[in-house]
Amino acid sequence: MSRKPDTTPTPGRVSLSTWGDPLFKGITFVFAAGVLALLVAMFAVLWHESAPSRAAFGLGFLTDASWNPVTERFGALTAIAGTLISTLIALLVAVPISVGIALFLSELAPARLRTPFGVGIELLAAIPSIVYGMWGLFVLAPILSNLVQPALANSLGFLPLFSGPQMGIGMLTAGLVLALMITPFIASVTRDVFRMVPPQLKESAYGMGATTWEVVRDIMIPYGRKGIYGAVFLGMGRALGETMAVTFVIGNSHRLSASLFAPGNSIASTLANEFTEADGDLYLSSLVELGLVLFLITFLILGFAQLYLKRMSAPGGRS
Amino acid sequence: MPNHIDTRRRVLTNRLVMGISTLSAMLGLAMLAWILGDVALKGIHAINWDFFTKLPPPPGETGGGLANAMLGTLLLTATAALIAVPFGVMAGTFLAEFGHGGRVAAVVRYVSDILVSAPSIVVGMCVYLLVVVPSGHFSGWAGALSLAVIMIPVVTRTTDEMLRLVPTEMREATLALGAPYWRMMLGVIYRAAAAGMTTGILLAVARVSGETAPLLFTALNSPYWLDGLNGPVANLTVTLFNYAMSPYDEWHTLAWGAALLITVSVLVLTGFSRIILGTRIR
């Protein structure tokens, strides 16, 4: 007899167990595929709508610094440069501070201080970016223009980087606000990475007479290198695509300048300022191509971040 | 003794680095206190009965409030959650229950992790091109949709992680009683993971309630009372942006009020989710 034994007592159950599970699995599969579809749809619409701009400017779009709606000549160089420079400033400031915070949270802080400090850092991550932007404009920018920029100009003014208008609004301010925003992200991921270092390794080093700093430098940082790279790339991805915090303080000018004090723009701030006002197909299409460039750059960087973090973490690790 | 000097240098270096590390942590907390303090001090002046009950004033006039924007933000966020929660929970269920370490699940996980941090302004731009342009007008639906797109990967990944925390024995026990898989999920597994999943949803809601960029091109903003989701919808974040960038002092005050309200709501939501889960938040 090859018939399967009937284990279900009622006919109703038979039908449910035959179509219920495949249906449930099918529905969940459709939604999971839907997440991929979102990505594909976003990419497709950006690609399709940027066609006029790609046809008109080609690859030269990426290296052209002009942005003129009247003559309909558009290039992405200023915005790309602004995005990269503000992100670089942010990383230069945020990475050392974040590693310091992570070190404090994982190694130095007394047990009863760890939770309040940890919560504080994570609250910093939860503050919406527009609040950072507004605070940067009304509080940080005046301080920079009255105190920090004159001091920098007096001491390092011979460098073109630190000469120019001391308005408090510009590339430097944008980079600092971004640094403030991404520090909690990098710090909390780095702290988790430090916590993954096996205690045996650290204790062996301490047992040999190493100081805390030597354990960090020679054991924890080498062990967690991939995870730290991941944390930095994660912060970088956030900084590249951050819109509101930057739009408030970057100054929104389409001119390339060697000075960090001068106003500039980033891809995201250009989109925020001009997208709804763009008249003319080529103008709109050029803005869409800017968005496409931003999407590709951040996707690449965040992809690296996840690769590094996945390699670092145990199976079923962080989200 | 060179060895002695070397040890002293090592100890000094150690002290220096430890000092810098402690200072970094102090700096982090100080920045938090500074920002929250400024938002509270400047925002509190805007908080009064009118702030919660009236429409915004015309430029240059005092009084008025942001009641329409508060309603709008609530409605946009709730609509977005209604779209994103079922979507994300179902997708997360596939990843945790049927993915089996397969390639599809791995790719979806990877993409969701990237989308969690993807630039929200690009999401707003895509929704503008896909919804606002064809329909010919800005709308609350488009705004809610772009917020939903931002929520979906967060909910997906939290659901995934939380379901995988449910012990296998619980699944085996339910299946051994003869329950079909879907019945087991609805009756047992989702309940077991409920606290964690709620946390993920609250965190996603907290995150989008402070989002501005995706609303700029979709829900836009409006100085009027809410009139359905078919037209532009007033919301707190875009109002904050417009008012803070305006030259009027009265509008600046209202913008600080909005900043205070948004910050408090986001922090309260984040705190709630922390209490529910009883562990660390991301």
Side-chain angles (χ1 to χ4, degrees):
Chain A
M1 288 306 207
S2 64
R3 276 186 64 182
K4 262 171 80 175
D6 188 7
T7 52
T8 43
T10 60
R13 278 246 175 134
V14 173
S15 72
L16 265 183
S17 60
T18 46
W19 58 258
D21 281 349
L23 182 72
F24 184 69
K25 185 176 173 178
I27 293 173
T28 62
F29 176 78
V30 167
F31 281 104
V35 175
L36 294 184
L38 283 179
L39 176 76
V40 174
M42 283 169 67
F43 183 76
V45 72
L46 291 174
W47 183 259
H48 179 253
E49 298 290 324
S50 64
S53 161
R54 282 184 287 115
F57 306 117
L59 276 178
F61 183 76
L62 300 175
T63 52
D64 184 358
S66 53
W67 189 266
N68 193 332
V70 181
T71 59
E72 298 221 305
R73 195 182 145 86
F74 300 102
L77 185 64
T78 324
I80 292 177
T83 307
L84 296 181
I85 294 169
S86 56
T87 301
L88 185 69
I89 299 173
L91 287 176
L92 285 177
V93 175
V95 170
I97 295 182
S98 310
V99 174
I101 293 177
L103 179 57
F104 180 81
L105 289 177
S106 66
E107 293 297 300
L108 299 181
R112 63 199 163 87
L113 279 189
R114 276 180 203 192
T115 312
F117 268 84
V119 171
I121 300 301
E122 278 158 5
L123 286 184
L124 209 48
I127 297 177
S129 64
I130 189 163
V131 175
Y132 278 105
M134 189 180 182
W135 182 84
L137 177 67
F138 287 111
V139 182
L140 189 64
I143 293 177
L144 285 177
S145 77
N146 293 332
L147 297 173
V148 179
Q149 292 183 342
L152 279 173
N154 284 337
S155 52
L156 297 166
F158 56 89
L159 295 170
L161 280 181
F162 299 110
S163 55
Q166 297 163 8
M167 299 184 298
I169 281 179
M171 210 52 89
L172 180 69
T173 318
L176 291 179
V177 172
L178 281 178
L180 190 54
M181 285 196 57
I182 62 174
T183 295
F185 285 103
I186 305 181
S188 87
V189 177
T190 308
R191 178 210 28 201
D192 294 349
V193 168
F194 280 162
R195 281 187 181 164
M196 276 182 225
V197 179
Q200 297 92 320
L201 284 184
K202 292 195 284 183
E203 277 157 21
S204 317
Y206 281 124
M208 305 267 290
T211 62
T212 311
W213 165 238
E214 284 161 350
V215 172
V216 171
R217 190 191 57 192
D218 298 333
I219 308 289
M220 293 169 66
I221 291 183
Y223 185 90
R225 189 180 292 123
K226 289 197 181 102
I228 298 172
Y229 287 158
V232 172
F233 275 122
L234 190 66
M236 188 175 172
R238 294 254 171 179
L240 288 169
E242 175 49 45
T243 309
M244 300 322 292
V246 172
T247 307
F248 270 102
V249 293
I250 201 166
N252 305 310
S253 143
H254 284 289
R255 195 173 302 162
L256 269 180
S257 168
S259 167
L260 293 183
F261 296 172
N265 61 7
S266 73
I267 297 180
S269 75
T270 307
L271 296 179
N273 280 313
E274 301 184 22
F275 195 66
T276 45
E277 286 155 20
D279 44 3
D281 289 342
L282 197 56
Y283 192 2
L284 190 73
S285 167
S286 300
L287 286 167
V288 175
E289 189 172 352
L290 270 185
L292 179 66
V293 171
L294 177 65
F295 195 55
L296 290 177
I297 298 176
T298 48
F299 199 85
L300 201 68
I301 296 295
L302 292 169
F304 277 129
Q306 295 305 333
L307 272 186
Y308 278 123
L309 290 175
K310 287 227 159 78
R311 264 190 237 161
M312 180 73 211
S313 60
R318 86 176 32 265
S319 57
Chain B
M1 291 282 283
N3 196 17
H4 174 68
I5 295 168
D6 191 41
T7 307
R8 243 179 63 189
R9 215 186 56 205
R10 286 175 55 214
V11 170
L12 281 181
T13 314
N14 186 48
R15 286 220 184 112
L16 183 72
V17 176
M18 296 307 112
I20 293 173
S21 159
T22 311
L23 279 182
S24 308
M26 300 289 178
L27 181 69
L29 277 204
M31 294 311 290
L32 178 71
W34 189 7
I35 295 175
L36 291 185
D38 270 335
V39 170
L41 287 178
K42 293 177 196 251
I44 202 79
H45 296 297
I47 308 288
N48 51 38
W49 184 247
D50 284 357
F51 183 72
F52 292 101
T53 52
K54 293 222 164 121
L55 285 179
E61 281 180 31
T62 53
L66 300 178
N68 59 336
M70 293 173 208
L71 270 180
T73 291
L74 278 180
L75 185 67
L76 289 177
T77 312
T79 314
L82 281 180
I83 303 170
V85 170
F87 196 127
V89 167
M90 283 290 117
T93 304
F94 178 82
L95 294 185
E97 303 294 327
F98 305 116
H100 299 307
R103 193 163 292 172
V104 180
V107 172
V108 172
R109 237 173 234 142
Y110 190 63
V111 165
S112 315
D113 281 341
I114 291 177
L115 285 180
V116 165
S117 302
S120 55
I121 191 152
V122 176
V123 173
M125 204 161 132
C126 291
V127 173
Y128 172 87
L129 295 169
L130 283 173
V131 178
V132 176
V133 172
S135 70
H137 55 85
F138 296 101
S139 69
W141 289 114
L145 191 64
S146 39
L147 293 184
V149 171
I150 292 165
M151 284 180 80
I152 285 169
V154 185
V155 179
T156 301
R157 286 296 277 131
T158 332
T159 305
D160 176 22
E161 304 257 318
M162 293 306 149
L163 289 180
R164 281 192 291 166
L165 288 181
V166 177
T168 317
E169 289 78 4
M170 212 180 254
R171 293 187 174 79
E172 287 167 351
T174 321
L175 291 175
L177 290 176
Y181 212 92
W182 63 271
R183 200 84 183 79
M184 171 197 81
M185 290 306 297
L186 295 181
V188 179
I189 307 299
Y190 285 139
R191 284 196 200 179
M197 287 164 66
T198 314
T199 304
I201 292 164
L202 282 182
L203 282 179
V205 168
R207 162 130 193 245
V208 299
S209 59
E211 278 286 356
T212 316
L215 297 178
L216 287 173
F217 320 138
T218 52
L220 205 67
N221 197 5
S222 143
Y224 309 114
W225 286 109
L226 189 63
D227 185 27
L229 286 173
N230 277 320
V233 171
N235 60 85
L236 278 173
T237 44
V238 178
T239 305
L240 194 171
F241 181 54
N242 293 339
Y243 281 19
M245 291 302 226
S246 78
Y248 311 108
D249 282 343
E250 294 78 13
W251 280 12
H252 288 176
T253 310
L254 283 178
W256 279 111
L260 177 60
L261 191 60
I262 295 168
T263 308
V264 168
S265 337
V266 170
L267 293 189
V268 165
L269 275 174
T270 314
F272 250 128
S273 59
R274 207 188 143 79
I275 292 167
I276 291 179
L277 196 62
T279 57
R280 195 179 63 80
I281 50 171
R282 272 194 293 135

